[in-house]
Amino acid sequence: MIDTAAHAHVVAHRPPVTGLILSGGGARAAYQVGVLAAIAELLPEGAANPFPVIVGTSAGAINAVGLACGALSFREAIHSLTRVWKGFHIGQVYRGDFTGVVGQALRFLGHSLLGLGKHQPVALLDRSPLRHLLQRELDFSGISAALQQRKLRAVAVTAFGYESGQAVTFYQGRETIEPWLRHRRIGVPTRLCLEHLLASSAIPLLFAPVRIHREYFGDGAVRLQAPISPALHLGANRVLVIGVSGNPAEGNPNETVGREQTGKPPSLAQMGIHLLNSTFIDSLEGDIEVLQRVNYLSSLVPEERRRHEAGLRQVEVLLVSPSRPLDEIAAQYLHELPWALRLFLRGPGATRVSGAGVLSYLLFERGYCNELIRLGYKDAMDKRAELKRFLGLEEMSL
């Protein structure tokens, strides 16, 4: 989980370096945009990017790079992200029309059962529309500009290598940041591009893996057991985590839909949601718990010793997570799902209440995304005092 070796990067007496952690979760990442919109509103006019280190995984990687590309004008970058997410529909992310759904399903079956086209990666859904959207919306040169003007220290996205079995964090940052090598996870300096985002957000089976150099990569959340550690390796000594599930430690478990005891066999959708949650949610929540325990144990060490041993210094973490179950919200917007996709998902049980968790990851539609943005904004504003303290905005207002 939390990598104590990464803590060694936190040098004593160094000024605070704030890291932003954006987790994965498909359409759930709309919630992150609402939180960021609230932060932009809390910042004074013309304020610089408050997050020198930005780390994202899966859909969170897309939001992270979107912020980094516009780091020279943080508020405008948030407005751009908000505009895209508020106008989303499934056809901008993957083919949801009848021809696209059936054609991709036939290709998947031919590939999986008959070995047809075995040299080309295939998946259940055709995600080619997302490539076109990202090409249109992102200007990767903005990352280099922000680094040169020292408005950004580093931005990173994580992907999973299918052959190596490693979680690879691709990062673009200042030359002083050293790459790292840990058990099944490494940090690789590079110039980020579209392929890194598509690889990091390629949910296994649903979306096809993406080739980077000699290896195919998929969703970074699959093997990233320490989601916070890349930010520490990149120099952060405190982190803001925007999650996409409720925080069990605060008595607010998010995944509550369909928990009643029915005695019936689980549907494919029910099994799928547990797999998705274990991939996108459990590791982050576990990592936060470990960090909190490490901070507690560190607090028991005399201050003088902590001051001289970097590995013993505490890492402050602030978590903002949904106050409402996203499964329930997704179930309310089932009608937005294209009819062809609704037909395709009916058999596995994803269109029933018990399978709404799957929809919460796949429902890239305007009503659902806007509801998550509103929820993220509200939850962040409910924590405005904590956010202002964490970002040092109270001192600025004095």
Side-chain angles (χ1 to χ4, degrees):
M1 292 297 181
I2 291 296
D3 186 357
T4 54
H7 293 191
H9 289 270
V10 184
V11 182
H13 307 301
R14 196 185 68 183
V17 177
T18 305
L20 174 66
I21 311 292
L22 300 175
S23 60
R28 291 178 175 221
Y31 176 84
Q32 299 169 352
V33 177
V35 175
L36 292 169
I39 292 174
E41 190 170 309
L42 294 175
L43 292 173
E45 191 70 32
N49 168 35
F51 304 110
V53 175
I54 305 175
V55 176
T57 306
S58 193
I62 295 174
N63 285 340
V65 170
L67 282 181
C69 289
L72 292 180
S73 181
F74 181 77
R75 186 167 292 184
E76 288 185 14
I78 299 298
H79 288 165
S80 179
L81 277 177
T82 304
R83 171 182 55 79
V84 172
W85 278 94
K86 280 189 172 182
F88 250 143
H89 59 82
I90 281 174
Q92 293 177 301
V93 181
Y94 57 88
R95 294 280 301 274
D97 58 288
F98 181 79
T99 302
V101 170
V102 173
Q104 190 67 17
L106 292 175
R107 281 191 289 272
F108 181 82
L109 290 175
H111 181 279
S112 303
L113 300 180
L114 304 177
L116 301 176
K118 60 182 179 180
H119 297 297
Q120 294 295 326
V122 72
L124 285 170
L125 297 172
D126 178 2
R127 200 172 48 140
S128 58
L130 180 61
R131 174 182 291 274
H132 302 308
L133 175 68
L134 296 179
Q135 285 176 332
R136 184 176 68 249
E137 295 291 340
L138 296 179
D139 179 7
F140 285 88
S141 66
I143 297 177
S144 298
L147 290 170
Q148 290 173 1
Q149 297 188 35
R150 306 188 74 81
K151 301 299 183 182
L152 185 69
R153 177 180 173 84
V155 57
V157 304
T158 300
F160 164 66
Y162 278 99
E163 291 189 18
S164 65
Q166 291 180 319
V168 181
T169 298
F170 298 99
Y171 68 90
Q172 186 171 346
R174 299 176 190 168
E175 295 179 355
T176 55
I177 301 174
E178 294 291 331
W180 61 90
L181 173 62
R182 299 292 182 267
H183 178 64
R184 293 203 177 278
R185 50 192 172 88
I186 62 176
V188 177
T190 190
R191 191 179 183 90
L192 292 176
C193 67
L194 183 59
E195 304 307 312
H196 296 106
L197 297 188
L198 293 173
S200 180
S201 57
I203 301 175
L205 296 180
L206 292 178
F207 303 130
V210 177
R211 184 171 180 171
I212 300 177
H213 303 306
R214 298 182 179 179
E215 187 173 9
Y216 279 95
F217 287 87
D219 200 296
V222 172
R223 292 298 294 269
L224 186 58
Q225 296 302 307
I228 296 176
S229 66
L232 305 183
H233 282 292
L234 295 171
N237 51 24
R238 60 179 184 174
V239 292
L240 171 64
V241 180
I242 305 180
V244 293
S245 74
N247 182 13
E250 296 180 355
N252 180 30
N254 186 281
E255 321 308 328
T256 59
V257 177
R259 291 283 182 86
E260 66 275 4
Q261 300 289 328
T262 64
K264 298 179 181 179
S267 65
L268 287 176
Q270 284 176 295
M271 292 187 283
I273 188 56
H274 285 293
L275 290 174
L276 289 170
N277 287 346
S278 66
T279 298
F280 291 106
I281 296 173
D282 294 351
S283 294
L284 179 61
E285 291 180 344
D287 211 22
I288 291 173
E289 289 181 4
V290 171
L291 178 56
Q292 291 170 339
R293 287 198 294 268
V294 170
N295 282 341
Y296 172 73
L297 293 174
S298 175
S299 69
L300 302 179
V301 178
E303 175 64 28
E304 184 174 348
R305 184 177 178 186
R306 272 189 281 142
R307 192 181 303 120
H308 291 86
E309 296 189 34
L312 295 177
R313 289 178 61 83
Q314 296 185 352
V315 177
E316 183 181 5
V317 58
L318 176 61
L319 171 66
V320 180
S321 59
S323 58
R324 291 178 55 198
L326 302 192
D327 294 7
E328 291 182 356
I329 298 175
Q332 295 170 7
Y333 289 93
L334 170 62
H335 64 276
E336 290 193 337
L337 202 65
W339 70 268
L341 199 58
R342 199 180 312 159
L343 182 65
F344 181 71
L345 294 175
R346 181 179 298 170
T351 58
R352 296 195 293 269
V353 173
S354 60
V358 172
L359 290 183
S360 71
Y361 287 90
L362 295 177
L363 194 53
F364 291 91
E365 286 292 339
R366 188 170 303 171
Y368 175 63
C369 290
N370 276 267
E371 186 70 21
L372 296 196
I373 291 172
R374 286 191 291 269
L375 180 63
Y377 180 88
K378 174 187 176 298
D379 290 344
M381 283 302 185
D382 286 345
K383 285 193 171 186
R384 65 167 66 88
E386 294 175 70
L387 283 168
K388 293 179 73 171
R389 179 197 57 77
F390 184 83
L391 296 174
L393 300 179
E394 292 177 334
E395 298 176 3
M396 296 174 64
S397 60
L398 295 178

